[in-house]
Amino acid sequence: MITKPATLKGTRDFLPHQIAKRSYLFDTIRTVFQSYGFAPIETPAMEKSETLLGKYGEEGDKLLFRILNNGDFMEGVDTGASSASIASQISKRALRYDLTVPFARFVSQHRNELQFPFKRYQIQPVWRADRPQKGRYQEFFQCDADVVGSESLWHEVDFIQIFDEVLTRLGLKVFTIKMNNRKILAGLAEVAGHSDRLKDIAISLDKLDKVGKEQVILEWQSRGIDQEAIEKLSAIFAMKEKKSTEGLRALLAHSEIGLMGMDELDQVMAHAKALGLQSAKLEFDITLARGLDYYTGAIFEVVSDEVAIGSICGGGRYDDLTGIFGMPDMPGVGISFGADRIYDVLDQLQRWPADMMTVPDIIFMNFGEKEAFRCMQVMKEMRKMGYAAELYPSPVKMKKQLKYADDRGIRYVGLIGGEELSSGKITLKDMQEGSQESLELDGFKERMKRG
RNA sequence: GUGGUUGUAGCUCAGUUGGUUAGAGCGCCUGAUUGUGGUUCAGGAGGUCGUGGGUUCAAGCCCCAUCUUCCACCCCA
């Protein structure tokens, strides 16, 4: 039986022109990361299940792709157990869900080989068993930069500049870097008298933009936040509208952690603004929560204001990511570029630079055995000069050969047929101009150098 | 994971209340042009109507399942 060819849902093939665009994107990100002192690493696509499980919350666990054990995976399995238990019995490996947790494992494992603070970047695919939508895939690339082993807030300032630099270079003109601090959210929970309910308060608050404040209040109520607390928290709504921290200090006056968050936020934003940004708008957003459980300080999210596709970058600070791998007191902060979403944004906006396809500089027409051999000799010299050259592989009709050159967007065509072979000349055709000239080998080289 | 939506030629899409042989544009191939592309003209190829069942004398169209797409939740890049 023949299987109909198809990629799995949420996954895609990449054609040469798409790879060209993606490489340009990666190269831009890589260049900027390196200019800020980050060095590349790679980790395996799969990890032990226990490395990944429980790191992304309950929802995240469900989105992990599990890998079935090899061999007789049912041997000794308690089939009466729960699905989750059976799953962990028959699957000891999983595909990575992001690059941050594998990085934490990496740092802990190689701690004696690294110099701290350690700054690494990583551009690799990740997998999530999510339901696909536009800009939402089951396999996609993340481009992460993290620094571990430093509490300095200068890193936060660096990351804001990196967002600005990369996205500006890629041609995005209108985008917003949203910033908040988990300590501020913790402070709010504290003054509301619900320190233990930080997550409930933040998750509902995060939806403010979408559902409005009445709905947020309703959701708080249903999550068991009492009326007195809600009244205190309501002061937030005004701050959200003004996008300012005005009045926030007063509200957090009795929360040590809240005030600490305020200090951090003010310091980072002030420095980032003083250094200047090219295209980015930098905004405080009290409702920004982000789901990942491990964030403890600054949190970032970048959205394009030109294309509605969700966030294109994210990031934040975590005090203790490697603790679960047996390496306590290792603070870190990092960001991630969602390459595939940025790709989609650039596609939609048609912001790709021209001439990104890797196309040879010249193609030689094939007139037969002897003529082709002469072309091979000439091409050998051309390649030494740094040109990419190729020969049409078979001596078919000129029309077909030229159309091939045209379709591929190759600018120059070299013709060495019977006439040229006997006269020792080369006919060079410029496909853009539609002109052609007959040249000696030296003149031909000169002509190519002139472009 | 929940609710919805989509699928017809390589691409973008028509296809009437179920009724002969499923169409168009673009693209592709061939020729006009046996050493000249992108223009023009003439001709041609290409479809298990996503897949599998079912209802019917008859299904691209109705029903069920499944895969896929996109949307809203959820969550996120």
Side-chain angles (χ1 to χ4, degrees):
Chain A
M1 164 128 180
I2 297 167
T3 310
K4 194 182 169 189
T7 54
L8 255 16
K9 86 173 152 198
T11 67
R12 301 142 297 153
D13 285 328
F14 292 91
L15 274 57
H17 74 275
Q18 296 168 317
I19 291 292
K21 292 195 271 190
R22 206 180 64 182
S23 303
Y24 153 75
L25 220 157
F26 288 165
D27 288 346
T28 304
I29 293 171
R30 193 176 291 124
T31 304
V32 175
F33 280 170
Q34 285 176 354
S35 76
Y36 279 79
F38 292 86
I41 69 157
E42 288 191 11
T43 65
M46 51 191 176
E47 295 275 352
K48 286 177 170 177
S49 295
E50 64 212 63
T51 300
L52 305 177
L53 284 168
K55 309 302 189 296
Y56 309 104
E58 219 174 292
E59 291 299 314
D61 279 2
K62 289 185 201 157
L63 299 180
L64 281 174
F65 275 106
R66 314 289 301 265
I67 298 169
L68 190 61
N69 292 344
N70 292 75
D72 185 5
F73 55 84
M74 285 303 287
E75 196 186 351
V77 170
D78 174 9
T79 50
S82 67
S83 300
S85 164
I86 292 174
S88 57
Q89 289 180 70
I90 64 173
S91 160
K92 301 204 178 309
R93 295 164 294 177
L95 292 176
R96 63 168 167 248
Y97 174 94
D98 71 359
L99 301 177
T100 307
V101 170
F103 174 55
R105 189 225 83 221
F106 174 99
V107 169
S108 182
Q109 186 173 330
H110 299 283
R111 64 184 91 171
N112 295 327
E113 305 158 65
L114 306 174
Q115 295 80 45
F116 294 96
F118 178 60
K119 298 170 80 171
R120 82 87 172 79
Y121 76 87
Q122 194 171 349
I123 299 176
Q124 289 192 278
V126 302
W127 294 269
R128 296 184 189 178
D130 221 342
R131 193 158 316 171
Q133 278 178 37
K134 192 180 225 56
R136 176 171 217 165
Y137 307 100
Q138 293 205 338
E139 178 185 62
F140 60 98
F141 270 84
Q142 288 197 329
C143 312
D144 279 29
D146 287 79
V147 40
V148 291
S150 170
E151 287 180 318
S152 167
L153 294 178
W154 290 116
H155 300 303
E156 273 85 337
V157 178
D158 266 358
F159 284 132
I160 290 169
Q161 293 191 92
I162 290 173
F163 281 139
D164 185 48
E165 180 66 33
V166 168
L167 298 176
T168 300
R169 281 195 194 193
L170 291 174
L172 294 195
K173 297 189 171 79
V174 196
F175 58 93
T176 306
I177 302 172
K178 294 186 192 173
M179 210 188 149
N180 194 2
N181 193 300
R182 270 287 169 90
K183 293 190 178 85
I184 293 175
L185 293 170
L188 286 174
E190 192 180 330
V191 297
H194 286 91
S195 280
D196 51 328
R197 309 298 300 281
L198 166 60
K199 243 189 126 177
D200 285 314
I201 293 172
I203 287 174
S204 306
L205 184 58
D206 194 38
K207 296 177 191 161
L208 179 60
D209 270 339
K210 241 180 209 172
V211 302
K213 62 181 173 186
E214 288 76 17
Q215 196 62 40
V216 171
I217 290 170
L218 279 175
E219 204 169 311
W220 276 338
Q221 285 167 342
S222 72
R223 283 173 192 264
I225 311 295
D226 63 65
Q227 199 55 39
E228 199 189 326
I230 288 176
E231 271 165 38
K232 277 186 181 165
L233 291 170
S234 293
I236 296 167
F237 299 135
M239 292 170 203
K240 165 71 181 176
E241 269 172 47
K242 287 187 200 152
K243 291 172 182 170
S244 94
T245 55
E246 202 183 315
L248 196 49
R249 274 183 190 277
L251 185 64
L252 294 168
H254 299 292
S255 167
E256 198 184 324
I257 189 163
L259 290 173
M260 200 190 297
M262 284 301 304
D263 288 343
E264 290 182 14
L265 184 92
D266 286 344
Q267 196 181 326
V268 171
M269 296 216 15
H271 283 144
K273 286 187 172 163
L275 280 164
L277 294 165
Q278 303 168 72
S279 330
K281 271 183 290 175
L282 179 61
E283 272 175 14
F284 166 66
D285 185 347
I286 184 75
T287 66
L288 179 62
R290 296 190 59 79
L292 262 12
D293 289 344
Y294 44 71
Y295 291 126
T296 52
I299 38 185
F300 303 109
E301 188 166 290
V302 183
V303 292
S304 162
D305 297 314
E306 298 172 283
V307 176
I309 199 168
S311 55
I312 53 177
C313 307
R317 177 170 280 280
Y318 36 86
D319 282 338
D320 182 30
L321 191 65
T322 57
I324 33 166
F325 298 110
M327 188 185 192
D329 306 320
M330 185 54 65
V333 55
I335 57 167
S336 180
F337 284 82
D340 298 81
R341 282 191 182 172
I342 296 170
Y343 182 105
D344 288 346
V345 168
L346 260 32
D347 245 7
Q348 204 161 321
L349 262 29
Q350 303 193 325
R351 292 277 167 77
W352 299 105
D355 302 328
M356 274 196 317
M357 276 295 286
T358 47
V359 153
D361 302 296
I362 185 166
I363 183 166
F364 283 84
M365 299 290 96
N366 191 327
F367 288 93
E369 195 74 13
K370 278 187 201 159
E371 294 88 342
F373 185 77
R374 177 66 188 143
C375 291
M376 296 293 277
Q377 290 177 316
V378 174
M379 287 192 297
K380 202 167 177 180
E381 294 200 34
M382 298 215 56
R383 293 187 185 118
K384 267 187 210 156
M385 291 165 67
Y387 294 105
E390 70 176 62
L391 170 74
Y392 194 90
S394 48
V396 298
K397 269 187 270 195
M398 272 282 276
K399 183 184 170 76
K400 194 174 167 71
Q401 299 193 38
L402 278 167
K403 182 165 162 46
Y404 178 78
D406 195 40
D407 288 345
R408 283 189 56 194
I410 302 170
R411 174 150 186 192
Y412 293 105
V413 171
L415 297 97
I416 301 177
E419 281 173 35
E420 288 85 354
L421 213 51
S422 52
S423 67
K425 291 194 169 179
I426 298 168
T427 300
L428 178 67
K429 183 178 173 69
D430 182 334
M431 298 292 275
Q432 270 174 35
E433 302 295 323
S435 59
Q436 64 182 51
E437 49 196 310
S438 180
L439 301 158
E440 303 281 348
L441 181 58
D442 289 341
F444 169 77
K445 286 181 181 170
E446 281 306 309
R447 175 67 183 80
M448 286 302 290
K449 276 185 199 161
R450 287 207 312 272

